[in-house]
Amino acid sequence: MPVSAAASAREILVNLHDVMAARSNAQAKLNQVVDIIGEALDSEVCSIYLLREGVLELYATRGLAADAVHVTKLVLGEGLVGTIAESGEILNLDEAASHPDFAYKPETGEDRFHSFAGVPIIRRERSVGVLAVQHADPRRYADIEIEALQTVAMVLSELIANAGLIDQGGPKDRPQQSTASVRLIGQKLVEGMGAGCAVFHQPRIHIEHTVAEDTEAERHRVYAAFDKMRDQIEKMTREAEFGVGGEHEEVLETYKMFAYDEGWSRRINEAIDSGLTAEAAIERVQQRTRQRMRQIDDPLLADRMHDLEDLSNRLLRIVSGQMGTAAQMGLRQDTILIARNLGPAELLEYDRRRLKGVVLEEGSLTAHVTIVARAMGVPVLGRVRDVRRAIGEGDLLLLDVNEGSVVVRPSTAMEEAFDAKLLLRQKRKAAYAALRDVAPVSKDGHRVTVMVNAGLRDDAAALDVTGADGIGLFRTEFQFLVSATLPQRERQQRLYREVLDVAGDRPVIFRTVDIGGDKALPYLVQDAAEEENPAMGWRALRLALERDGLMKAQARALLEAAAGRTLSVMFPMVSEAWEFAEARALFEQQRDWIASRNRRLPNEIRYGAMLEVPSLAYQLDLLLPQVDFLSIGTNDLTQFLFAADRANPKLAERYDWLSASILRFLAALVAPCAEAGVPLAVCGEMGGRPLEALALIGIGIDRFSITPAAVGPIKAMVRSLDHAAVRAEMARLLAAPPRDLRGALAAWATAQGVELG
């Protein structure tokens, strides 16, 4: 590769500008293009394949047999070229024939060429062709050459689209929209129900000119757009309508940090230096970002990349003058918003009175937009496939995130059923709200403790709304997951103190950070080896004991935040009693450090453990003398007992919580804890389901920490049952378990008049 490769993109674009301005036909232009690219990269072969009628056709080449042009064709996924077009990924090979997808086409005469590099030609976020180079000597193309190819491919997409050489498929050109009703399934991100007309968040911005006439003028346009974008974001974050204080504020601060990121603006400037217009430079950097996102397995890091995607879209709209998002054009009626993904600032632009819900093609529980939507009270359904094919602009949608679905173009009967369900939910919600100040006491006088799980500062407000007994599980890791850098001790301390302030005299149990594994943090360097099963890997207490600096900082933050109060702290993923002992000793060391400086300490410190790993159940004799309380994490415990990944959809419904295996395992924990005087609770989804909670009460567990929405139903269930009767029934069922234990218990509960919702 010659030294002049650094200027390859600029050199090629200057020459392409002349080619595109010429009056020759498209075929002649492409014939010139492959010569220009081949010479600039000193490559013996340069070929352009275009997607026509669903097939990739060799349209121009330098170096392959001329007779193969318009003759060699590949379907998507066939050969190296078909693989690139289908995946949208780059291939860079020193020996093309060694790749498993290599397909030899004898008419091209390519057998004498060993090296191969190809990049997709992208138009409106879809592959419409492939630009490939080949060389006789086996060698990988340099990164700068690949970069040049990608830049050129971007310009080519404009040329070939304007010439009408490619399939023009896409949202606007899809087949006639079906009028039939369809139900789409997705991931529950923010629960709730809503009905409205479908509105697509963002019409695609079409870049008309890619090659710059005046580089400095383009640079000044970008600078001005950056200034305007930052002003917009500052204004939006100042005027956000939800209350002060909450994790959403930290999310917006992180988002603003991206807006001022010098590395991002530098990459755009470098793209302008290569000869691109301001719009094309932003799009070029955005394409690189998307490519990185596809390669990132860590969902948290991918979420942060989505923020950069959101900012890129905003910057592109400003610099192009195409400002029309649905938010800026205004919502005219009750709306369900449709988007591939959203940034937190983009969601804030919408009129909350008319925004009834959001449906995302992507999204995740830890995405910044999810946190902001929760604060706004907007239901969000994520991971919904093919929304642009299945949903048309203006279609009526019935969104039920509680069921994980959205109905498109519902029939009259579906609308009536939805309205009835919504009314019923509202009535039930009102009935449960009426139980706020009523204690969960059974008909025969047995008191059950019902607490809530929390992870955000705002979640603590659920105590007053639901009348829960306290916070049985405060997940401290959320503050770490939404931060771009490791949260400082002072910031952690402020969060913990505010949660305790809201709780008042009600107990709060703080679980130390459960990070690592599938909740990896980009700022916390882990072992290079990728974990095959992150749920059973280097996470939670295992990570914290090894990286004890992180845990020491959290210990001091918790101890200082709880000064003058009771501090309850719980360690996750304890596998053996010695791990708990080490974690407790670490906290005690920090307690002594604070005391040595005459600072105020908690009045009492209570230490507990999460029983999620089955091995800990066989060390209760060693553990119970050390702990003040024990909490069962049913989500992880279930997957470990059954060796079944709970994230695998094929296994999600295979193993029932109401199986004799789980209930017998849990029942075996009750007596030892009672004898040791150690309170035993269930933290997790199992305790928030009325029938499952009934079974747990029946085996002797009467402390629950559940989602705020489940508090009302669990209270209603407890107040309708006879405690002694359910204890007797569960003893009978577990002594000789029926094949369908769930069905047997449900039938018994119905006969007894137990309220199961």
Side-chain angles (χ1 to χ4, degrees), residues 209-405:
H209 301 292
T210 54
V211 181
E213 298 279 356
D214 184 339
T215 298
E216 284 308 308
E218 300 301 322
R219 201 183 317 282
H220 286 303
R221 291 177 63 215
V222 165
Y223 288 153
F226 262 107
D227 288 341
K228 187 170 184 178
M229 178 192 70
R230 289 163 179 166
D231 287 344
Q232 285 181 357
I233 291 167
E234 293 287 354
K235 184 172 184 289
M236 274 190 303
T237 52
R238 280 197 309 270
E239 298 176 0
E241 292 181 11
F242 37 69
V244 176
E247 248 66 17
H248 49 270
E249 287 190 348
E250 294 169 13
V251 165
L252 294 175
E253 286 302 316
T254 303
Y255 181 83
K256 283 164 63 176
M257 182 190 72
F258 277 114
Y260 287 89
D261 178 43
E262 291 301 322
W264 180 38
S265 57
R266 185 186 67 250
R267 289 190 294 274
I268 293 173
N269 263 311
E270 289 171 353
I272 290 174
D273 286 338
S274 73
L276 294 176
T277 60
E279 292 90 341
I282 296 166
E283 173 72 10
R284 178 71 195 93
V285 174
Q286 193 174 21
Q287 285 180 1
R288 286 184 223 160
T289 302
R290 292 191 194 111
Q291 198 165 43
R292 285 184 63 197
M293 286 167 62
R294 286 195 294 269
Q295 297 166 352
I296 291 172
D297 292 328
D298 176 4
L300 296 168
L301 190 54
D303 289 337
R304 287 169 177 80
M305 299 298 281
H306 284 311
D307 287 352
L308 196 53
E309 171 97 348
D310 171 24
L311 287 163
S312 297
N313 290 335
R314 182 177 297 276
L315 189 64
L316 190 54
R317 288 197 299 271
I318 292 170
V319 82
S320 67
Q322 300 177 44
M323 298 295 290
T325 65
Q328 289 155 341
M329 290 185 286
L331 302 180
R332 297 177 177 82
Q333 57 194 327
D334 286 354
T335 295
I336 303 294
L337 190 66
I338 313 297
R340 184 163 65 88
N341 216 318
L342 278 175
E346 289 191 306
L347 187 63
L348 287 174
E349 291 182 308
Y350 283 92
D351 182 348
R352 289 170 60 187
R353 294 167 299 176
R354 288 180 168 169
L355 183 61
K356 301 302 178 182
V358 176
V359 174
L360 300 176
E361 289 185 84
E362 298 176 1
S364 74
L365 284 166
T366 54
H368 287 174
V369 69
T370 303
I371 297 165
V372 172
R374 188 182 294 114
M376 293 172 66
V378 176
V380 182
L381 185 67
R383 301 285 174 184
V384 182
R385 295 182 179 179
D386 298 327
V387 291
R388 286 193 173 270
R389 288 199 189 96
I391 301 174
E393 188 91 23
D395 281 345
L396 178 60
L397 304 181
L398 305 179
L399 177 64
D400 187 348
V401 182
N402 306 291
E403 297 293 336
S405 68

Side-chain angles (χ1 to χ4, degrees), residues 424-438 465-467 690 708-717 755-757:
L424 180 60
R425 282 180 184 264
Q426 290 169 341
K427 285 182 178 178
R428 279 186 178 165
K429 193 173 179 181
Y432 295 145
L435 296 175
R436 184 187 67 177
D437 300 320
V438 177
V465 174
T466 63
V711 171
I714 296 303
K715 277 190 176 184
M717 182 273 292
E755 173 59 56
L756 297 177

Side-chain angles (χ1 to χ4, degrees), residues 395-526:
D395 281 345
L396 178 60
L397 304 181
L398 305 179
L399 177 64
D400 187 348
V401 182
N402 306 291
E403 297 293 336
S405 68
V406 58
V407 176
V408 186
R409 299 176 298 275
S411 64
T412 302
M414 289 175 175
E415 285 188 66
E416 291 172 353
F418 182 87
D419 291 341
K421 186 176 181 180
L422 183 59
L423 181 61
L424 180 60
R425 282 180 184 264
Q426 290 169 341
K427 285 182 178 178
R428 279 186 178 165
K429 193 173 179 181
Y432 295 145
L435 296 175
R436 184 187 67 177
D437 300 320
V438 177
V441 179
S442 68
K443 291 193 296 185
D444 55 345
H446 185 81
R447 176 69 154 89
V448 173
T449 300
V450 180
M451 297 189 285
V452 293
N453 297 332
L456 300 169
R457 187 185 289 107
D458 292 351
D459 291 345
L463 291 174
D464 292 329
V465 174
T466 63
D469 293 312
I471 297 175
L473 169 63
F474 189 90
R475 300 180 177 95
T476 59
E477 63 268 13
F478 214 89
Q479 187 180 32
F480 292 74
L481 298 179
V482 301
S483 298
T485 57
L486 186 70
Q488 295 299 309
R489 179 172 55 83
E490 293 77 11
R491 200 167 123 214
Q492 294 182 50
Q493 179 185 327
R494 185 169 64 251
L495 169 64
Y496 306 148
R497 184 183 295 117
E498 288 172 355
V499 171
L500 288 167
D501 287 343
V502 173
D505 58 358
R506 291 163 293 194
V508 178
I509 298 175
F510 292 97
R511 185 181 72 183
T512 58
V513 288
D514 182 359
I515 54 177
D518 60 350
K519 290 186 279 188
L521 305 179
Y523 52 80
L524 185 65
V525 179
Q526 294 186 216

Side-chain angles (χ1 to χ4, degrees), residues 571-649:
F571 305 118
M573 198 79 176
V574 180
S575 303
E576 296 194 78
W578 68 262
E579 293 177 331
F580 173 85
E582 280 199 13
R584 178 170 180 158
L586 188 149
F587 261 75
E588 288 296 305
Q589 289 167 9
Q590 296 307 305
R591 178 190 177 281
D592 293 343
W593 188 91
I594 295 171
S596 69
R597 283 154 178 77
N598 297 316
R599 296 180 187 171
R600 198 176 180 200
L601 286 163
N603 295 336
E604 179 188 7
I605 305 174
R606 300 177 69 247
Y607 294 101
M610 288 285 286
L611 197 156
E612 302 162 280
V613 182
S615 62
L616 191 61
Y618 301 98
Q619 292 199 5
L620 288 183
D621 58 324
L622 304 175
L623 179 71
L624 291 176
Q626 303 181 60
V627 299
D628 297 301
F629 59 92
L630 190 65
S631 293
I632 302 166
T634 53
N635 292 356
D636 268 331
L637 179 63
T638 302
Q639 70 172 342
F640 297 152
L641 276 173
F642 284 121
D645 182 0
R646 67 185 183 186
N648 186 330

